Amino acid sequence: MKTIQIGGVLPVSAVSLGCMRMSGLSDARVDAIMDCALENGINHFDHADIYGGGNSERLFGGYLKRHTGVREKIVIQSKCSIHDGQYDFSKEHILKSVDGTLSRLGVEYLDTLLLHRPDTLMEPEEVAEAFDTLQSAGKVRHFGVSNHNMMQMELLKTAVKQPLIINQLQFSVTEAGMVTSGMNVNMKNAESVMHDGSFLEYSRIKNITIQTWSPFQYGFFEGTFVDNDRFPELNAKLAEISEVYGLSKTGVAAAWILRHPANMQLIAGTMNPEHLADVCKAADVTLTRSEWYDIYRAAGHCLP
């Protein structure tokens, strides 16, 4: 599988296994999806302290205990800030959250820690203190955010010394706001509305890696667009191109994301080994410019 450099400093697989749905799996099924991920070149694994109430991290930690030597070969990421129906960037919560994550995973450090969703009550200086404490203690090596806009990142950077090398955002061929607003500059149609402050361009200027969550979903966890009757033109185009590359329609949708020169990292949340292997194949396929735009238009997006 092709690799990318997160923030220009951390080499990882272009596809990451998102572990949100790992909670509730048996040890045997955890072993199956993890073995599949490693066999197909995935070395990056995405967690959050809230996934399954911490059980996803606990099950992942069980796999690491059963398979000694794996930890040193992989990149582990987790997120914090969501708890008790609120967002919390306080130093106390960040430090407590990371300690809990490390305990559940059974590891000594996280490769990357992300702030999960913006806390409007945050004090950048307090976040900076937490990051300094975690880095100096060897508990976290790199930092980033999730679901932030560019000015929220700039506000954090007024105090935080460490580079913020990641922003995890929803992105798929149907939920393509980062692209559509840029395609419709100076227009008055719905797709000209910018919701993220030109974050796609900002990320490329600042060398921030975008990690894409829900890469095969439409809406906010409403369902997948693949084989969905609501998207006949898109599925027809995905099927047509799938024949060219020997991928499934899901694989083509993955290749569409990975074709973008921003070098995004795709977070695949499936716990089905067959589906995961298919997505991994897409990382080594480069769609043509015409194929990329054909898929874009088939999803219902306009080109003015």
Side-chain angles (χ1 to χ4, degrees), residues 243-262:
E243 295 295 324
V244 176
Y245 295 102
L247 297 173
S248 69
K249 287 182 279 188
T250 299
V252 176
W256 184 86
I257 292 173
L258 297 174
R259 169 64 175 82
H260 198 281

Side-chain angles (χ1 to χ4, degrees), residues 251-272:
V252 176
W256 184 86
I257 292 173
L258 297 174
R259 169 64 175 82
H260 198 281
N263 285 321
M264 303 177 196
Q265 185 183 36
L266 185 147
I267 308 292
T270 181
M271 291 291 113
N272 181 312

Side-chain angles (χ1 to χ4, degrees), residues 216-267:
F216 312 117
Q217 300 276 325
Y218 68 95
F220 188 69
F221 296 116
E222 290 183 39
T224 179
F225 53 79
V226 177
D227 293 327
N228 189 318
D229 291 342
R230 293 182 58 176
F231 303 94
E233 291 183 26
L234 174 57
N235 276 281
K237 181 57 65 175
L238 293 175
E240 175 188 325
I241 296 175
S242 72
E243 295 295 324
V244 176
Y245 295 102
L247 297 173
S248 69
K249 287 182 279 188
T250 299
V252 176
W256 184 86
I257 292 173
L258 297 174
R259 169 64 175 82
H260 198 281
N263 285 321
M264 303 177 196
Q265 185 183 36
L266 185 147
I267 308 292

Side-chain angles (χ1 to χ4, degrees), residues 19 160 216 286:
C19 298
V160 171
F216 312 117
T286 302

Side-chain angles (χ1 to χ4, degrees), residues 11-253:
V12 297
S13 52
V15 175
S16 168
L17 180 64
C19 298
M20 183 176 72
R21 297 182 178 89
M22 187 171 284
S23 176
L25 297 186
S26 66
D27 287 348
R29 290 186 63 194
V30 171
D31 285 359
I33 193 66
M34 288 295 297
D35 290 348
C36 174
L38 295 170
E39 289 166 4
N40 283 277
I42 291 178
N43 76 338
H44 187 280
F45 299 87
D46 175 66
H47 290 272
D49 57 358
I50 64 166
Y51 291 167
N55 201 44
S56 291
E57 291 177 334
R58 197 171 291 111
L59 287 166
F60 191 93
Y63 178 87
L64 295 180
K65 289 179 182 177
R66 294 190 297 276
H67 300 79
T68 58
V70 169
R71 173 63 186 104
E72 291 72 26
K73 301 175 182 178
I74 64 175
V75 175
I76 301 179
Q77 171 175 291
S78 195
K79 301 182 287 292
C80 71
S81 80
I82 304 175
H83 75 106
D84 297 333
Q86 62 184 3
Y87 304 144
D88 189 346
F89 282 13
S90 68
K91 177 181 177 181
E92 177 184 12
H93 177 69
I94 293 172
L95 296 180
K96 181 180 178 181
S97 175
V98 170
D99 283 343
T101 287
L102 294 178
S103 176
R104 289 187 292 272
L105 290 170
V107 300
E108 296 181 352
Y109 66 92
L110 292 175
D111 294 281
T112 52
L113 173 70
L114 310 186
L115 300 175
H116 205 159
R117 282 196 176 270
D119 173 16
T120 194
L121 301 180
M122 79 154 177
E123 300 287 352
E125 296 78 12
E126 198 168 350
V127 176
E129 289 179 11
F131 283 8
D132 286 346
T133 298
L134 291 169
Q135 187 177 58
S136 63
K139 294 181 178 181
V140 178
R141 295 186 172 178
H142 302 281
F143 299 86
V145 298
S146 177
N147 302 300
H148 281 56
N149 64 34
M150 57 189 286
M151 293 312 295
Q152 289 167 332
M153 293 190 75
E154 287 295 315
L155 179 57
L156 278 166
K157 286 161 62 176
T158 62
V160 171
K161 302 185 187 85
Q162 296 80 5
L164 301 176
I165 62 174
I166 296 166
N167 193 5
Q168 194 172 117
L169 299 164
Q170 183 178 15
F171 186 69
S172 71
V173 67
T174 56
E175 303 303 314
M178 283 190 288
V179 167
T180 58
S181 60
M183 295 280 200
N184 289 271
V185 173
N186 201 38
M187 303 298 292
K188 294 182 179 180
N189 54 25
E191 292 201 321
S192 69
V193 177
M194 184 178 295
H195 296 281
D196 58 26
S198 293
F199 192 85
L200 179 60
E201 291 75 20
Y202 173 81
S203 72
R204 297 178 72 180
I205 293 169
K206 298 293 186 178
N207 204 14
I208 298 166
T209 297
I210 295 173
Q211 296 176 333
T212 66
W213 59 266
S214 288
F216 312 117
Q217 300 276 325
Y218 68 95
F220 188 69
F221 296 116
E222 290 183 39
T224 179
F225 53 79
V226 177
D227 293 327
N228 189 318
D229 291 342
R230 293 182 58 176
F231 303 94
E233 291 183 26
L234 174 57
N235 276 281
K237 181 57 65 175
L238 293 175
E240 175 188 325
I241 296 175
S242 72
E243 295 295 324
V244 176
Y245 295 102
L247 297 173
S248 69
K249 287 182 279 188
T250 299
V252 176

